[in-house]
Amino acid sequence: MTTPKMMQGNEACAAGAIAAGCRFFGGYPITPSTDIAEYMARELPKHGGVFIQMEDEIAGLAAVIGASVGGVKAMTATSGPGFSLMQENIGYAAMAEIPCVIVDVMRLGPSTGRPTSPSQGDVMQARWGTHGDHPIIAVAPSSVDECFGLTVRAFNLSERYRTPVILLIDEVVGHLREKVTLPPPDQIRVLERLRPTEPPEWYKPYGSAPGDVPALAPFGSGYRYHITGLHHDEAGFPTERVDEVRPWTRRVFRKIKGNVQHIVRYEAEGVEGARTIVVAYGAVARSAREAIKIARAKRRKVGLLRLQTLWPFPTRVVSEVCRNAQRVIVPEMNLGQMAIEVERIVGDRIVRRVNRIDGELITPQEILEAMETK
Amino acid sequence: MKTEIDRYEIRLAGAGGQGLILAGIILAEAVAIYDGRNAIQTQSYGPEARGGASRAEVIISDGPIHYPKVMHADVLLALSQEACDKYFFDLKPDGILIVDSGHVERLPSSQALRLPIMQMAVEATGRPLTANMVALGFISGLTQIVSRPSLEKAVTARVPKGTAEANLKALAAGWDAAEGAPKQR
């Protein structure tokens, strides 16, 4: 065991990245994510890694993709405005199937908004911000400890499924200082991407593969292949043939959808026999837990479903946990971006939304009111 | 303070640049790391580097802390009139209000503890910037929410290099002033 220390969510995220083997950071500082860039600038060189501040967020993610193609685990961190700029390259990473981790510390938008205030307004942008049909993985931590753990996991998922993974941290959690005891390095499970074993002339970077994830050869390792944002064949060269375009799209969806049960993480607490279920994520899940503590003291049967994975959406979990609920409360620091998904599954008749879009964290009292009003 | 704490909420409010966030971090670290209890610290500030409203909040407990912000403060430190006006209403009926008498003229309660915090800092160290440490020392001495050695260790570990001595002096000035203050519950 290492000794406990007081750490900020953003710092724990950066520490988690290094623990997961991240050795490249490319980005552009922006409140409230800057602590991550500062940590990486300071610590990465000590681990033989490289930190580059690029000219903007577009270049930041481009550099990250380049580093990853070179065989190095890579990450960037930003907030709303920068996340908007990154959308094009998120699509490129999804299309070219390049592992990378994108941290978005959510602040109040749209546009410049309120730079220092929290929000959960980027949930749908994480899913659909880049154009075209593509799968994506997004996770949302609720504590400093989880900022560390979910960042490690984000890298593992990204490497295992050859996909960009988005970490949605809200400003409250990003700037929160909490006591944490980080696990020693030998207790952290770190996954590496599959590398080809066949000779270079047989290598198909986009071929069919067990689990639908083909091996990825680092550029410069003797495997010559093509990478493009155009639809491509198994060798990576542009194609317009429908019998090559369709299988690609199907495969990349299958690699995520077929593994939903391995990807999705959540925490269900006191949901057995509960008439009211609160579905929450990020800092708001902490407000929910406080509200539930108060409600239980009044002998109310209330359960909490806290989602750590937001995308792919945990449809089955929400459906099962809420099956017998008479009321499902979805508190969010947005106007109901996840509530839409929950309503799709359990029906909008029983869903109560609790929303704030003024840059303040939802209070336990506001969630309690949603439990008590008819 | 040795009894079990369910939840103790401290809010430090004033203007950006007064060092309130650093004071909050030091308090949380002293309680959580050196005293071994549980503590959490959050902050809220505007986009300005100086000026604008700024606040730090510290929640202390012997159990898990879920909601990370202040619900009903046990202690409110106000270093500006604006902060005093804005946050007084979240203070518990028996909560402690501490104001800098040099910055807060209109008092919302006759129970408020008025202290020339900035002036004390200047007298102790010659640096008005150490007012945050005077305030921290005063709050800690008054509430006994943290042990003095723990607080001193946390100050030494967190303040910029070469300033520990001045900051500890300011802290002591605050702590000693608390010993002469009216007894709190």
Side-chain angles (χ1 to χ4, degrees):
Chain A
M1 290 279 275
T2 52
T3 51
K5 54 182 153 185
M6 212 63 187
M7 240 182 160
Q8 207 177 35
N10 281 343
E11 288 174 335
C13 166
I18 291 175
C22 174
R23 292 296 177 268
F24 183 88
F25 183 102
Y28 191 84
I30 180 170
T31 302
S33 77
T34 305
D35 319 271
I36 299 173
E38 285 175 343
Y39 189 102
M40 294 306 254
R42 195 176 65 234
E43 299 298 325
L44 262 182
K46 297 180 194 168
H47 293 82
V50 172
F51 171 95
I52 301 182
Q53 180 171 323
M54 299 298 286
E55 69 269 29
D56 61 25
E57 288 87 345
I58 302 172
L61 183 51
V64 162
I65 292 169
S68 184
V69 170
V72 177
K73 290 185 188 176
M75 175 172 97
T76 189
T78 188
S79 186
F83 193 50
S84 293
L85 288 175
M86 286 181 185
Q87 293 305 322
E88 182 184 351
N89 277 329
I90 291 173
Y92 187 87
M95 176 57 113
E97 296 177 75
I98 308 300
C100 55
V101 173
I102 298 123
V103 184
D104 173 21
V105 187
M106 294 181 285
R107 70 191 221 184
L108 188 64
S111 190
T112 316
R114 271 181 57 184
T116 56
S117 300
S119 149
Q120 294 176 320
D122 304 348
V123 170
M124 277 296 170
Q125 193 186 16
R127 179 65 196 90
W128 296 116
T130 195
H131 59 278
D133 282 292
H134 62 282
I136 199 83
I137 297 174
V139 297
S142 286
S143 66
V144 174
D145 187 57
E146 221 166 69
C147 280
F148 182 89
L150 282 185
T151 303
V152 173
R153 192 167 154 71
F155 273 96
N156 287 347
L157 291 170
S158 156
E159 294 291 321
R160 176 158 181 193
Y161 297 112
R162 263 185 80 173
T163 179
V165 175
I166 295 165
L167 225 92
L168 290 174
I169 305 179
D170 52 72
E171 185 273 346
V172 176
V173 172
H175 278 163
L176 183 71
R177 281 189 182 80
E178 215 166 9
K179 181 155 75 169
V180 288
T181 307
L182 299 181
D186 61 352
Q187 280 177 29
I188 300 168
R189 187 161 166 261
V190 173
L191 293 180
E192 306 294 337
R193 69 188 67 167
L194 279 177
R195 301 210 173 187
T197 48
E198 64 270 42
E201 56 274 26
W202 293 358
Y203 176 54
K204 295 271 170 49
Y206 299 97
S208 56
D212 294 310
V213 184
L216 184 61
F219 266 19
S221 64
Y223 288 79
R224 295 183 62 196
Y225 62 101
H226 195 252
I227 295 180
T228 172
L230 290 162
H231 270 284
H232 42 268
D233 61 17
E234 292 190 337
F237 288 100
T239 181
E240 291 183 359
R241 285 173 53 171
V242 292
D243 62 341
E244 287 178 332
V245 171
R246 198 170 43 219
W248 178 87
T249 313
R250 292 294 181 204
R251 179 175 60 75
V252 294
F253 268 93
R254 222 166 38 229
K255 76 179 177 182
I256 303 300
K257 274 196 164 171
N259 290 297
V260 165
Q261 72 276 22
H262 301 302
I263 295 169
V264 164
R265 285 279 191 279
Y266 63 96
E267 207 180 72
E269 192 196 303
V271 296
E272 291 293 321
R275 292 170 171 212
T276 301
I277 304 282
V278 183
V279 183
Y281 55 98
V284 176
R286 302 178 72 114
S287 311
R289 192 167 277 162
E290 194 77 44
I292 287 167
K293 188 177 148 192
I294 299 166
R296 287 206 188 124
K298 296 180 193 165
R299 301 185 158 277
R300 292 184 73 100
K301 289 187 173 169
V302 190
L304 174 66
L305 174 59
R306 185 171 72 81
L307 302 181
Q308 292 161 304
T309 310
L310 300 188
W311 306 114
F313 194 75
T315 303
R316 220 166 104 186
V317 172
V318 171
S319 167
E320 280 169 12
V321 169
C322 300
R323 195 170 36 215
N324 297 317
Q326 292 169 358
R327 183 174 293 188
V328 177
I329 298 170
V330 186
E332 292 177 273
M333 287 188 281
N334 59 47
L335 284 181
Q337 297 190 14
M338 197 186 66
I340 298 171
E341 294 294 313
V342 177
E343 286 164 358
R344 172 175 70 76
I345 296 156
V346 305
D348 57 4
R349 204 178 45 82
I350 62 166
V351 172
R352 282 290 164 96
R353 297 180 177 195
V354 179
N355 309 108
R356 269 192 97 145
I357 47 158
D358 56 1
E360 293 288 336
L361 177 59
I362 290 174
T363 64
Q365 193 55 39
E366 286 167 314
I367 297 169
L368 277 168
E369 280 161 18
M371 290 176 192
E372 280 159 15
T373 51
K374 291 274 175 215
Chain B
M1 196 179 271
K2 283 189 188 121
T3 47
E4 285 274 304
I5 304 172
D6 181 43
R7 192 177 172 95
Y8 195 83
E9 303 185 337
I10 298 170
R11 176 178 271 159
L12 314 174
Q18 287 179 327
L20 293 168
I21 292 173
L22 179 62
I25 295 170
I26 288 170
L27 177 58
E29 200 156 69
V31 170
I33 304 302
Y34 301 105
D35 272 353
R37 324 186 88 134
N38 199 6
I40 202 167
Q41 182 264 340
T42 62
Q43 58 208 39
S44 174
Y45 54 89
E48 311 90 346
R50 276 173 197 78
S54 171
R55 70 174 202 252
E57 298 181 347
V58 178
I59 317 284
I60 296 166
S61 173
D62 285 309
I65 302 167
H66 304 309
Y67 184 64
K69 303 266 182 183
V70 163
M71 292 193 280
H72 303 289
D74 293 274
V75 177
L76 169 62
L77 166 76
L79 293 189
S80 73
Q81 185 70 51
E82 190 195 347
C84 184
D85 296 346
K86 189 172 173 187
Y87 297 121
F88 173 69
F89 297 98
D90 292 337
L91 191 64
K92 280 183 184 162
D94 58 351
I96 306 168
L97 171 64
I98 301 159
V99 303
D100 184 338
S101 51
H103 287 87
V104 180
E105 286 178 358
R106 298 185 305 278
L107 292 177
S109 159
S110 58
Q111 306 290 312
L113 295 173
R114 299 173 72 239
L115 203 72
I117 295 173
M118 191 79 79
Q119 194 189 317
M120 286 165 69
V122 173
E123 282 164 15
T125 68
R127 300 186 203 187
L129 267 181
T130 56
N132 59 345
M133 293 298 118
V134 174
L136 183 59
F138 186 76
I139 292 169
S140 308
L142 195 69
T143 60
Q144 302 284 317
I145 196 77
V146 60
S147 73
R148 193 163 178 168
S150 293
L151 191 60
E152 287 169 351
K153 271 187 230 166
V155 168
T156 309
R158 275 281 176 179
V159 296
K161 268 200 185 111
T163 68
E165 198 185 333
N167 279 300
L168 288 172
K169 248 188 214 169
L171 189 80
W175 193 292
D176 296 343
E179 283 168 1
K183 261 247 172 298
Q184 303 296 314
R185 72 194 158 98

